[in-house]
């Protein structure tokens, strides 16, 4: 097995487990506290990256680091919203697949701001993602029809029944992670992937300090909770480290990017088999469309340089 393929599988596993660990934390911590304490798990990865000999800059070093740092702050905020959606009743199986649509935001922003063009696969991905959002967002045949009319002629959301309160929070990480992805792409135009990732993860530290200032941790946090929040941060950061290793071992961005974007294929089975979650036929269809759209949105020509993922 090629090394780049092995590292890609490691990234998928890491992000897949990251997506479900917060459910295990439960109500022991608030969503913001989970994000703050998970920073502990980032420390060993940041140290390993900081020791790399490839922390070089090919362009504007200050601009590249600033873009990576801002991307990290947005990712933190998106993570908090994701954790909140889980605590507000969202199931891992549906939430993970839904929020995996964030590349849609990155692609659209790249078109508007960086003058990039959608290829045929990405156009299909945009269409599929809109259908998937509709299936996640409404219940009943009348609601779905209203959603379709809203998309095509701005008919409004009258008659549309929102599936659940958690869905309102689920749109936040899609938006924030999507913008963060654009900033990471801008960052890697100026500095190496390793330096970009260090700047990205470094942003988690001040965010954690601010959160803990306003929401201090009480003394009754169990050892199991400390273990889980550390695993939360470690799995998130190891996913970034693994995708860098995949690129470094001659892997093509056009293959690695869509492959590592399929972490829901790890999260969804775990949620169903071990967390006892159940999904309806409508949610199953939405998950399937979301996964296909993630692959399509992530597809790039082999000549396009890849960036580290969220």
């Amino acid at each position: 097995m090629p090394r780049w393929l092995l590292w890609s599988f490691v990234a998928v596993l890491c992000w897949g487990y990251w997506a479900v660990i917060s459910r295990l934390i439960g109500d022991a911590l608030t969503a913001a506290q989970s994000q703050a304490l998970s920073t502990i798990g980032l420390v060993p990865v940041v140290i390993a990256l900081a020791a790399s000999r490839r922390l070089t800059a090919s362009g504007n070093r200050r601009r590249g680091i600033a873009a990576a740092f801002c991307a990290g702050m947005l990712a933190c905020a998106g993570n908090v919203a994701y954790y909140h959606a889980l605590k507000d009743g969202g199931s891992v199986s549906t939430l993970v697949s839904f929020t995996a649509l964030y590349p849609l935001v990155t692609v659209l922003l790249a078109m508007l701001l960086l003058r990039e063009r959608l290829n045929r696969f990405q156009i299909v991905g945009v269409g599929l993602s809109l259908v998937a959002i509709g299936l996640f967002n409404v219940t009943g045949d009348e609601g779905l029809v209203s959603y379709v009319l809203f998309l095509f002629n701005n008919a409004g959301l009258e008659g549309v029944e929102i599936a659940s309160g958690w869905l309102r929070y689920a749109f936040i990480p899609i938006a924030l992670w999507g913008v963060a992805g654009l900033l990471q792409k801008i960052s890697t135009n100026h500095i190496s992937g390793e330096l970009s990732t260090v700047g990205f993860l470094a942003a988690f530290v001040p965010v954690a300090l601010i959160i803990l200032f306003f929401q201090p941790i009480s003394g009754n946090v169990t050892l199991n909770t400390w273990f889980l929040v550390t695993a939360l941060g470690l799995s998130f950061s190891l996913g970034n480290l693994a995708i860098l290793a995949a690129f470094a071992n001659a892997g093509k961005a056009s293959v690695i990017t869509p492959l590592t974007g399929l972490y829901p294929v790890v999260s969804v089975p775990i949620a169903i088999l071990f967390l006892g979650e159940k999904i309806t036929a409508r949610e199953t269809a939405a998950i399937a469309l979301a996964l296909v759209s993630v692959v399509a949105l992530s597809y790039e020509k082999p000549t396009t340089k890849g960036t580290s993922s969220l």
Side-chain angles (χ1 to χ4, degrees), residues 2-15 45 48-49 54 193-194 197 201 234-251 256-257 259-260 307-310:
R3 287 189 176 182
W4 66 263
L5 183 58
L6 178 61
W7 282 115
S8 296
F9 287 152
V10 172
V12 170
L13 287 172
C14 289
W15 285 329
V45 177
L49 285 171
R54 300 186 62 185
E194 287 84 353
T197 304
L201 295 178
L234 185 62
S235 58
F236 178 83
S237 55
L238 282 178
N240 282 275
L241 185 62
I243 197 172
L244 286 172
F247 285 131
N249 281 276
I256 293 174
T257 304
L259 178 59
T260 54
T307 62
S308 61
S309 180
L310 289 181

Side-chain angles (χ1 to χ4, degrees), residues 135-153:
L135 291 175
F136 279 120
N137 192 44
V138 298
T139 58
D141 295 336
E142 294 182 0
L144 184 58
V145 170
S146 298
Y147 176 77
V148 174
L149 290 176
F150 169 73
L151 288 177
F152 286 98
N153 59 18

Side-chain angles (χ1 to χ4, degrees), residues 50-116:
S52 172
R53 298 179 180 179
R54 300 186 62 185
L55 295 181
T56 58
S58 57
N60 191 319
R61 188 183 183 94
R62 180 177 299 178
R63 181 177 299 177
I65 294 176
F69 188 83
C70 290
M73 297 192 71
L74 290 176
C76 283
N79 289 353
V80 172
Y82 171 85
Y83 302 148
H84 191 92
L86 277 178
K87 294 178 183 297
D88 203 39
S91 67
V92 174
S93 54
T94 54
L95 182 60
V96 170
S97 301
F98 183 61
T99 54
L101 294 173
Y102 74 86
L104 171 63
V105 176
T106 304
V107 170
L108 294 178
L109 288 177
M111 286 181 60
L112 294 173
L113 302 179
L114 301 182
R115 307 279 181 156
E116 293 186 354

Side-chain angles (χ1 to χ4, degrees), residues 22-39:
S22 183
R23 170 66 79 186
L24 300 177
I25 296 174
D27 297 327
L29 300 169
T30 67
Q33 288 172 337
S34 293
Q35 172 60 44
L37 295 186
S38 69
T39 306

